[in-house]
Amino acid sequence: MTEAFHYKGGELFCESVPVAAIARKVGTPVYIYSQNHFVRQVQAIKDAFRDVQPMVCYAVKANSNLGLLRALALAGAGFDTVSRGEIYRALRAGAEPGKIVFAGVGKQEHEIEYALEQGILMFNVESESELELIAKVAARLKADAPIALRINPDVDPQTHKYISTGKSENKFGIDLARAEQCLGRIRELKHLRLRGVHIHIGSQILKNDRHGEAIDRVLPFIERCRKMDFPLEYLNVGGGYGIAYDVGQGVDIAEFARVMLPKIKQSGLKMLSEPGRFISGNGGVMLTQVVHVKKSAEKDFLIVDAAMNDLIRPTIYQAFHKIWPARHPGLADGGVMGADSPLTDTNLGKDAQVYDVVGPVCESGDYFALGRKLPRMEQGELVAVFSAGAYGATMASNYNTRGRAAEVIVNGSEYWVARDRETVEDMIRGERLTPREVFKA
Ligand code: LLP
């Protein structure tokens, strides 16, 4: 199958649209998404786990653009959310409330109330304190609150420490001993309905046995719930499946499934999974333009019009993102991340150059790549930062009073602006030059 992002005749395409055409129309920086990639990835998970017919709840935080959520909802996906705002987005996009799960260590009363009123599938409960609060709100609304206990299985996902969530030192989930104690309390709290067990051990997990180990740790707990006559229905195995950030990397989801399936079957529960990055990551690029080429005594800098406020992953996780010019005459045809990718050092051409690719923001941490070997580039050229469909636009900010980038969705040979570029007026909305009302101490 052709990758969503591929080179043909030396031009970068998203599906059947040359990305340069989008830049001409919409400007840069711009996020460009392949709708079909998102939908295909959901299907890939369903196929890999078809023996247990999983419910796939896309993790909205990875990329919450309404147009994409709508395409996913139409494709039958559910949604994993972590705030009232994300639940609202999912519903606006046409999600079925009965396919929405709600996680997060700091759920507030108003969020719990909203989620109950909407009739979501379940809350993934992360502490005893949260159990009490959900029970209180449910009692007030005279409603039943469906819950899953999020277990912290103390498994090392072997990923960057900021995105590890399954170890005992992490703030997420409830350890097994405490979870056991929670069962008695859930019994007492009349409005709680225990429907599932949840685990999510981290993100960008490349080793295919980590999820399996986490499931192993919770199987005895599931047995215990059964013995106590809790009518459990779901085992939510979380998300976290890694993707390719460089040529030829990435995971084979079928390999994850091979390890996980026997254990899921052993649990006797329905499988739910909540991947974000796997669905969205390689469905997006951030396209930016070279503003200046700058030489110093030591280095060559490509200064581009995108910055850390648009894509912060390199800055905070030292994340690697593949970068390449959108036009490269003479480059062989091929998908960007696959084994046949033309984006290799051998295809750099004789004009290869080592660059720091940086943004205009006033911080030395504002970079996309350091010491990167690339084809020689000139002012005005378009540069693609790949694997930017996950945790790109959703982590963007207005730092340096830079408006957030436009977002474009491509579907076959058509594309549309799914989020306008933010204007200065958008950015200062809500601020005042003078007080509207003055309060006295
Ligand atoms: N479920 C829960 C409860 C989560 O906390 C997360 C992600 C997911 C599912 C989805 O994980 P995924 O399948 O996308 O790995 N900003 C970081 C990633 C943070 C992940 C937070 N939780 C990054 O840019 O790498």
Side-chain angles (χ1 to χ4, degrees), residues 123-419:
F123 295 85
N124 294 328
V125 176
E126 311 229 14
S127 66
E128 291 99 325
S129 169
E130 184 188 333
L131 267 186
E132 301 292 332
L133 185 58
I134 294 177
K136 187 180 109 184
V137 179
R140 175 157 55 75
L141 298 181
K142 300 193 175 48
D144 281 340
I147 60 166
L149 283 181
R150 177 171 180 178
I151 307 292
N152 181 322
D154 195 22
V155 168
D156 185 354
Q158 299 178 7
T159 184
H160 190 282
K161 67 174 192 289
Y162 287 0
I163 54 177
S164 161
T165 54
K167 295 198 57 178
S168 57
E169 74 243 32
N170 302 130
K171 68 180 172 183
F172 301 94
I174 307 173
D175 64 64
L176 280 163
R178 276 171 191 278
E180 185 89 40
Q181 290 163 16
C182 286
L183 294 178
R185 188 64 185 138
I186 293 170
R187 268 261 166 78
E188 287 165 15
L189 294 167
K190 283 206 305 285
H191 292 269
L192 298 183
R193 296 281 169 273
L194 183 63
R195 295 185 71 180
V197 169
H198 174 224
I199 37 180
H200 172 77
I201 58 171
S203 196
Q204 184 56 12
I205 299 170
L206 293 168
K207 265 190 89 196
N208 59 30
D209 66 344
R210 307 288 75 205
H211 292 73
E213 187 165 329
I215 299 172
D216 273 339
R217 299 261 170 110
V218 297
L219 284 175
F221 178 73
I222 291 170
E223 206 36 54
R224 180 95 186 99
C225 295
R226 277 231 175 78
K227 288 227 170 73
M228 289 179 71
D229 287 331
F230 284 108
L232 288 191
E233 290 168 75
Y234 292 98
L235 172 58
N236 181 344
V237 299
Y241 316 114
I243 59 157
Y245 281 93
D246 203 355
V247 173
Q249 263 186 358
V251 305
D252 180 358
I253 194 69
E255 279 303 302
F256 280 70
R258 192 179 52 75
V259 179
M260 292 163 68
L261 273 173
K263 302 169 197 289
I264 295 166
K265 286 181 185 162
Q266 200 183 330
S267 78
L269 299 176
K270 291 186 225 165
M271 173 189 174
L272 196 154
S273 188
E274 44 185 35
R277 192 190 314 261
F278 185 80
I279 292 169
S280 58
N282 276 318
V285 304
M286 187 187 63
L287 194 65
T288 177
Q289 192 172 22
V290 178
V291 183
H292 297 290
V293 182
K294 174 173 171 173
K295 276 188 179 302
S296 76
E298 278 184 39
K299 286 187 165 181
D300 289 302
F301 295 98
L302 279 182
I303 303 172
V304 296
D305 64 2
M308 64 191 278
N309 74 296
D310 298 298
L311 177 70
I312 203 168
R313 303 194 69 260
T315 308
I316 60 178
Y317 314 117
Q318 297 74 48
F320 177 92
H321 282 261
K322 188 81 188 167
I323 293 176
W324 207 265
R327 187 169 283 140
H328 184 163
L331 191 71
D333 293 355
V336 167
M337 290 297 164
D340 67 338
S341 173
L343 309 193
T344 58
D345 279 3
T346 44
N347 287 330
L348 280 168
K350 55 182 180 329
D351 285 338
Q353 183 87 28
V354 175
Y355 292 110
D356 279 7
V357 183
V358 304
V361 159
C362 311
E363 302 214 21
S364 294
D366 177 28
Y367 67 84
F368 297 116
L370 301 176
R372 187 72 63 85
K373 224 185 200 181
L374 293 171
R376 183 188 296 281
M377 275 185 255
E378 314 257 332
Q379 191 172 39
E381 271 191 75
L382 294 172
V383 184
V385 180
F386 294 100
S387 313
Y391 307 107
T394 48
M395 294 180 78
S397 76
N398 289 134
Y399 189 38
N400 281 209
T401 307
R402 291 171 46 85
R404 270 169 288 197
E407 295 176 68
V408 164
I409 295 179
V410 175
N411 186 9
S413 56
E414 298 184 337
Y415 65 95
W416 56 289
V417 178
R419 183 186 187 148

